[in-house]
Amino acid sequence: MATGHPVVLPGETIDPSLIPSHPKNPLRLGPGLRHIPPTDIVPTVAGQLITNPIKNSMWIEYNSNRYIPSPNDLILAQILRSTTDFYLCTLSPHTAPATLPHLAFEGATKKTRPILQPGQLVYARVALANKHMDAELECVSSTTGKADGLGPLGTPTATSTAGGGCAFDISLGFARRLLMARSREEGGVGVLEMLAGEEGGGLAFETAVGRNGRVWVGSDSARTVVLVGRALQETDRGGLGLEGQRRLVKKLVREMR
Amino acid sequence: MTVTTTAPQAALGVLPRSDGSAKYSHAGYTLTASVNGPIEAQRRDEHAYEAHVEVIVRPAAGVGGTRERHLESLLQSSLAQLILVKNFPRSLIQIVLQVEDSPENDYVNTKLVQASLNLAIMPALVQTAILALLSAGVPMRATATATAVAVVHQDGAKKTVVDPSPREVETARSVHVLAFTSHNGLLLAESEGDFTVGEWDDVYETAKGICCRAGPAKEGTAMVLDDEEASATDMRQFLRSTMESKVAADLHWK
């Protein structure tokens, strides 16, 4: 383990030399840290302390299974039911439902709004997360008014032709790695590229990764959906590296033929 | 009979369906814990400003009774101090502790009767619950470590026994369970039997030595300690090394 990224337990004191200081930017605290005024910064979970001196930020890197909503997260929600003004959706089992307003879709008005059935999967962004209120979701960017890829999943739309799909459960840490801009270099996940590339024989599929530990895989072929989903879940549970992922993809593709 | 002071063992994430889980064995006790939360609380448990912490203790045999309810209430009040309950209003954090194995009494056959739990199991319950909470990533104020100490009168001499066996618990004048937070604060102190204030102070110092040792034992200090203390397990170091290996496994891609 790199000495620059120490493992911390809840309540431990962080060595002041590790806290980044920047002449202009304010210090930003990420997940797993809390600030006890005036000066104490204390970890609340067990994990690795990561600091970024350029952005003047610090956070705890850890893995868990229970999603706690926070603003601007991309999540995969399932519609529970509809009320007069919004849909109620689940983000994780046994938690209070999140609300998705009927008007939070691209081009939605009072007269034209998407009709979603209970059970339908929606790719959405967390607009509002407050501990005293249920989380609020949106499928449209409030600044541009565009969907930007958000919206109901599994129905043919202008950007997607895949008819069927399926959602798979993964750990939150793995979802975070999949969502990284350069997931292969930074997150060490190349399984999707491999499946679509040479090792997987050029499978055609699309995915939507939710920060709440769910990933949707869509494809015209049900076999491909199951194969991609299994590859993702096994990569997550087995903690496979890039070489392990390559071997897994080859094995799964061979079994499918 | 001597106590077999085996080093504690733990495995995290043993139950894949729960949010967090831990299996812990020490001093003859083996327990498995699962933690789920924060999840939606039942109406009657709902609190407007903080999370409800629910602790369920299941004995190795039979169904839980009054003894288990008592242990649950002790654990509940201790763990609610550690968990940042104010972060999750109207929700529930559920901790289920299943006793799998408890040490046999060599003199009386206690196996397979209605599991009789006593204070000696308390440290194992606390440790398992803490490990499972850490595994689930539930935000906490601090961690905690616990130990059981018995005061035994033998041949007219007083002796403090750490992690007493069931036989020693039976013959002991008093049994004490102490838990300390990682800030060296006393979290839990439960005592049973007859004892003086002086005895309790001795017990407190012994327990504190086990639970609150600062960092790994250094060469110089190890020489000063007598044999008994040096061989005692350092609970805090154990907790840390367990979590370090878990974090290393989770972040193998880093």
Side-chain angles (χ1 to χ4, degrees), chain A residues 65-69 75-81 88-99 130-131 133-135 137 172 212-214, chain B residues 19 35-42 46 51 88-94:
Chain A
N65 285 322
R66 177 65 56 180
Y67 177 68
I68 297 160
I75 48 93
L76 196 60
Q78 190 169 26
I79 305 285
L80 267 183
R81 60 194 173 84
L88 291 174
C89 339
T90 42
L91 305 186
S92 54
H94 309 295
T95 48
T99 57
N130 183 320
K131 65 179 177 178
M133 292 158 64
D134 292 341
L137 311 177
L172 299 192
N212 56 337
R214 306 194 81 190
Chain B
D19 290 342
V35 167
N36 281 298
I39 55 177
E40 201 169 15
Q42 277 183 31
E46 212 175 79
F88 307 107
R90 293 169 293 107
S91 60
L92 166 76
I93 292 164
Q94 188 181 53

Side-chain angles (χ1 to χ4, degrees), chain B residues 111-155:
Chain B
K111 205 82 174 171
L112 286 177
V113 294
Q114 170 79 42
S116 66
L117 290 172
N118 47 35
L119 274 186
I121 199 175
M122 205 59 198
L125 289 169
V126 173
Q127 265 345 132
T128 320
I130 294 288
L131 284 169
L133 283 166
L134 286 171
S135 149
V138 172
M140 290 200 287
R141 203 165 270 128
T143 54
T145 45
T147 194
V149 179
V151 178
V152 184
H153 287 249
Q154 211 171 36
D155 312 325

Side-chain angles (χ1 to χ4, degrees), chain B residues 17 28 100 102 106 174 184 210 215:
Chain B
R17 292 259 175 205
E100 284 180 19
S102 46
D106 292 347
S174 60
N184 295 348
I210 294 163

